[in-house]
């Protein structure tokens, strides 16, 4: 829980130090703490959909072919700034071919490096692609905080309405600026069948919100440990019966020790009641990188089939 520990430890400290601190705390902090501390209530179908990956699945293996990660700059019509993303190109990337693209979104305290550095996504992808268990794909890891200064804020500002709003504003940046820029530079299939979006926590909420409401852009969607920014399925899919048929994969996961699991449970139950097929994988982690690495492992193997 390193990312959140970084974001939350100072908050906890602040409150511990000043028992009547309520009024001094930045808006959003108390609510976030309450959300993380919510009691987990499990139903019979809140169980693993897949076995645990083999040991070492998220460790770089020197003996196999590696993809490369490069910096990608693009002009954002939303922030009016030049923004940075990381792009993973699979081993043997050849501009004469065409590749599907996965957009991977980070959590509230992270940035474009979170998936590669903290979760070790490139080690997971290198191994799956080398074994032929995932299709070679381009993976775009953007900064999902669409504001001019998009650095992670000071810990006590993590949950302010302004900061949360920057994650909402990323929808227009992604659809209007980043996706076209990626398709302009890389050898992508550049259609909805060849585009996936997934994320962890705040990024999970973004992936579900943006993926489900843009069926012409994405048909493969994954939310891992999704945060309270997740909108209800009925709202996301309303009047979009077409999305139901075009969606190739809708994937939800969460740890059964994660206080935010009620968000994913609600989405799962809503989808089930609407009759919308989806994967629901509940593992035994908290709000942890292990859950995110494992779910990337399971999700990536099911993409672009
Ligand atoms: C909240 C609790 C957690 C919240 C966001 C989060 C917007 C996000 C956590 C993360 O990205 O790790 O109440 O409100």
């Amino acid at each position: 829980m390193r990312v959140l520990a970084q974001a939350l430890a100072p908050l906890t400290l602040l409150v511990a130090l000043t028992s009547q601190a309520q009024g001094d705390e930045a808006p959003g902090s108390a609510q976030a703490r309450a959300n993380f501390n919510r009691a987990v209530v499990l139903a019979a179908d809140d169980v693993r959909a897949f076995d645990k990956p083999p040991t070492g699945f998220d460790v770089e293996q020197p003996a196999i072919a590696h993809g490369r990660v490069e910096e990608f700059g693009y002009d954002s019509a939303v922030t009016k700034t030049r923004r940075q993303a990381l792009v993973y190109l699979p081993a043997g990337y050849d501009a004469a071919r065409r590749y599907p693209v996965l957009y991977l979104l980070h959590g509230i305290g992270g940035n474009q490096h979170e998936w590669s550095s903290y979760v070790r996504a490139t080690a997971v992808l290198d191994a799956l692609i080398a074994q032929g268990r995932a299709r070679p794909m381009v993976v775009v890891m953007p900064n999902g905080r669409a504001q001019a200064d998009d650095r992670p804020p000071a810990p006590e500002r993590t949950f302010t309405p302004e900061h949360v709003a920057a994650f909402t504003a990323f929808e227009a940046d992604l659809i209007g600026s980043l996706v076209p820029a990626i398709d302009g530079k890389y050898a992508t299939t550049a259609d909805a069948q060849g585009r996936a979006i997934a994320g962890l926590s705040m990024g999970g909420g973004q992936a579900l919100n943006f993926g489900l409401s843009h069926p012409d852009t994405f048909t493969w969607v994954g939310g891992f440990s999704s945060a309270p920014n997740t909108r209800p399925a009925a709202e996301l899919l309303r009047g979009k019966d077409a999305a139901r048929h075009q969606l190739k994969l809708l994937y939800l996961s969460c740890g059964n020790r994660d206080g935010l699991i009620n968000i994913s449970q609600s989405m799962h139950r809503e989808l089930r009641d609407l009759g919308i097929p989806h994967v629901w994988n509940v593992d035994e982690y908290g709000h942890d990188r292990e859950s995110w690495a494992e779910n990337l492992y399971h999700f990536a193997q099911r993409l672009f089939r």
Side-chain angles (χ1 to χ4, degrees):
M1 149 116 205
R2 196 185 79 189
V3 171
L4 277 158
Q6 275 171 359
L8 288 178
L11 294 180
T12 316
L13 192 63
L14 189 74
V15 173
L17 287 175
T18 56
S19 50
Q20 78 289 29
Q22 246 17 9
D24 300 345
E25 243 187 315
S29 303
Q31 185 59 58
R33 198 169 37 249
N35 287 336
F36 279 117
N37 289 335
R38 202 156 282 177
V40 172
V41 182
L42 296 174
D45 62 346
D46 295 340
V47 293
R48 271 189 179 272
F50 311 112
D51 292 338
K52 255 173 109 70
T55 309
F57 79 99
D58 60 349
V59 176
E60 270 315 337
Q61 292 161 36
I64 63 169
H66 294 272
R68 64 177 194 271
V69 175
E70 57 184 46
E71 299 265 356
F72 175 73
Y74 65 103
D75 293 317
S76 168
V78 172
T79 62
K80 317 284 188 223
T81 56
R82 185 119 182 118
R83 308 198 70 223
Q84 296 296 319
L86 290 186
V87 176
Y88 167 90
L89 299 174
Y93 173 81
D94 172 0
R97 294 200 225 149
R98 288 274 172 269
Y99 297 84
V101 185
L102 164 62
Y103 289 79
L104 265 185
L105 310 180
H106 61 79
I108 200 161
N111 63 16
Q112 66 271 31
H113 296 275
E114 184 169 67
W115 272 104
S116 58
S117 301
Y118 179 53
V119 186
R120 302 200 294 267
T122 57
V124 174
L125 294 161
D126 280 347
L128 287 176
I129 292 169
Q131 294 161 14
R133 300 181 71 163
R135 284 196 51 194
M137 63 182 92
V138 170
V139 181
V140 180
M141 294 163 279
N143 180 319
R145 186 184 287 109
Q147 57 187 19
D149 179 356
D150 61 10
R151 293 171 298 181
E156 67 275 13
R157 309 296 303 165
T158 301
F159 298 96
T160 61
E162 297 75 26
H163 187 222
V164 169
F167 283 78
T168 308
F170 183 61
E171 179 169 5
D173 181 51
L174 173 70
I175 305 294
S177 300
L178 179 57
V179 168
I182 290 291
D183 289 338
K185 168 147 186 201
Y186 297 100
T188 62
T189 50
D191 60 15
Q193 313 297 311
R195 251 190 239 108
I197 185 166
L200 68 89
S201 199
M202 203 65 179
Q206 287 179 310
L208 296 172
N209 294 347
F210 308 162
L212 295 180
S213 61
H214 292 280
D216 297 337
T217 306
F218 302 104
T219 58
W220 312 81
V221 178
F224 310 154
S225 319
S226 299
N229 61 328
T230 308
R231 288 163 54 202
E235 201 182 291
L236 291 168
L237 296 167
R238 186 171 39 212
K240 289 202 175 69
D241 284 349
R244 179 173 170 168
H245 301 295
Q246 290 169 6
L247 260 183
K248 297 277 202 180
L249 176 63
L250 177 49
Y251 183 110
L252 302 179
S253 67
C254 198
N256 65 17
R257 295 192 178 107
D258 186 338
L260 300 185
I261 194 173
N262 62 97
I263 304 291
S264 299
Q265 286 171 321
S266 299
M267 172 68 81
H268 155 63
R269 290 168 193 168
E270 231 187 320
L271 292 169
R272 186 188 59 195
D273 295 348
L274 288 166
I276 296 176
H278 61 285
V279 170
W280 174 223
N281 185 42
V282 177
D283 60 37
E284 68 286 355
Y285 298 108
H287 205 67
D288 299 327
R289 71 157 292 286
E290 286 72 19
S291 184
W292 305 326
E294 289 197 12
N295 281 288
L296 174 64
Y297 174 90
H298 298 308
F299 182 72
Q301 295 181 62
R302 288 163 178 82
L303 290 180
F304 312 126
R305 300 291 183 188

